[in-house]
Structure formats: structure tokens, C-alpha cells
Amino acid sequence: MSRVSQAQALENRRRAVAAASKLFRERGVNGISVADLMKSIGLTTGGFYKQFPSKEALVAEAAQAAFGDLDVLLAGFDTDHGDHDTARAALVDFYLSAEHRDQPGTGCPTAGFAGDMAREPIAGEVRKTYAGGVQEFAAWLSADADDGLPMVATLVGAILLARATAGTELSEKILESTHKALTASQGIEPES
């Protein structure tokens, strides 16, 4: 039996975290087993326990990675759109799109982990990681004295309901009506 090099072990860990981040947002934390996760990246369950002390530890790391991806996405909106108000408008357009609704695995971790976080122990590390990510997202969305939390709550609620009703006319209506309400209430000019 050959030993895995430190570099390979780090790469295996990175792959496990990336796969967990995507799969937990798609299927929920309890919707993917450690065995299925490891199989998805071509590794054994035994390899998991060499990298992580528990599934909860992986969930915390996967949530942190997902919020890191969100930070990169938000920075990209700022870079691509020149000013923050235009970037916020573009984010609302993207967030309330069929594309975002239909791809939860690569979508916003605020929505993707919401149901699982509601069931996590209050003092757990995962909850702290999630709360920190939500606060950072709200801070990015804030304009002037607004703290951004109402906008996060509206966006996340809308995308969760749109996903829950996907395949129906109601899903499209949720996306469209929320977009219209947010752009009007926030003074956001929709992109052409």
C-alpha cells in the first residue's frame, strides 16, 4: 500500500471541500453521504477520515469555501461594472434569474445552505461560519445607511421559493415580481 504525498493529500482535501460545497448546496448536508461525496471525487471513505475529524468539520469548511467563492463573484461584479450601484443592480439581475435558480450547486451559499443551517446547533462552528458569510453579503449589498439585511432576506427568500416551485408559472412570477419590487424599492436601475 503506497502512502499519499503531502501535496496529494492537500489536493485531495481541496477536491473534497470543493465537491462538498457544490453537493451540499444542491442536495443538502443530509442529502449526501460521506461515501457518496468521496466516490464523486474518486476517493475512499477511509480517505475522508484522514482529512476531516467529522462531517460537521467538512460542512464548516465547505460553507467557508462557498462564501469565499461568493466574495470572488461579488468582487467580479464590482470590477466588471465600474461602480458599486451598477454592480448591485447586476447582482440582482443575476440572483433573480432562471440560471441561478436552476443551478443551486454553484449558486449563492446564503440560499444553498439556509435550510441546513436552520437545523444546525446554535453554538456550532458551522452556524458561525454561515452567519459571518451572510453578514458579509449584506454589507456588500448595503447602500448608504441601509445595512443590506432586508435585501439579502428578500433575495434569498425569493430564490428559495422559486426553486421550490421550479417548473411552474409561479416560479417565474416569483423571480419577476421580486426583481421588480427590489429594483423599485432600492432605486436600482435594471441592466438593459
Side-chain angles (χ1 to χ4, degrees):
M1 194 179 306
S2 67
R3 291 191 56 130
V4 174
S5 71
Q6 272 190 322
Q8 186 60 54
L10 286 173
E11 175 59 16
N12 291 347
R13 181 184 187 92
R14 185 202 63 75
R15 289 176 46 223
V17 169
S21 176
K22 181 178 188 284
L23 291 170
F24 290 158
R25 284 181 276 172
E26 278 179 3
R27 300 182 198 170
V29 170
N30 292 324
I32 185 84
S33 68
V34 167
D36 289 338
L37 169 69
M38 296 306 281
K39 184 178 179 183
S40 78
I41 60 170
L43 297 174
T44 66
T45 304
F48 174 84
Y49 292 103
K50 290 178 183 172
Q51 294 290 335
F52 304 97
S54 65
K55 187 175 179 181
E56 182 179 329
L58 174 61
V59 174
E61 209 168 314
Q64 187 172 27
F67 279 107
D69 292 344
L70 178 61
D71 290 343
V72 170
L73 177 74
L74 298 176
F77 273 99
D78 278 328
T79 300
D80 293 346
H81 297 283
D83 70 85
H84 192 66
D85 288 339
T86 305
R88 284 175 64 236
L91 184 272
V92 169
D93 291 346
F94 165 74
Y95 205 99
L96 297 171
S97 69
E99 174 188 0
H100 184 232
R101 176 198 60 205
D102 296 343
Q103 297 179 14
T106 56
C108 178
T110 309
F113 283 92
D116 291 307
M117 293 306 107
R119 291 181 288 275
E120 282 296 313
I122 291 173
E125 194 61 37
V126 178
R127 174 76 56 89
K128 291 176 189 173
T129 298
Y130 182 78
V134 172
Q135 288 178 317
E136 287 180 24
F137 187 30
W140 188 90
L141 285 168
S142 68
D144 303 323
D146 176 20
D147 68 4
L149 286 173
M151 195 168 188
V152 169
T154 302
L155 289 169
V156 171
I159 203 68
L160 288 173
L161 289 172
R163 286 175 179 164
T165 59
T168 71
E169 288 181 28
L170 181 59
S171 182
E172 296 300 326
K173 189 172 183 176
I174 290 167
L175 295 175
E176 292 167 10
S177 63
T178 305
H179 187 274
K180 183 177 178 181
L182 269 181
T183 55
S185 71
Q186 297 290 319
I188 295 173
E189 293 293 324
E191 285 198 340
S192 306

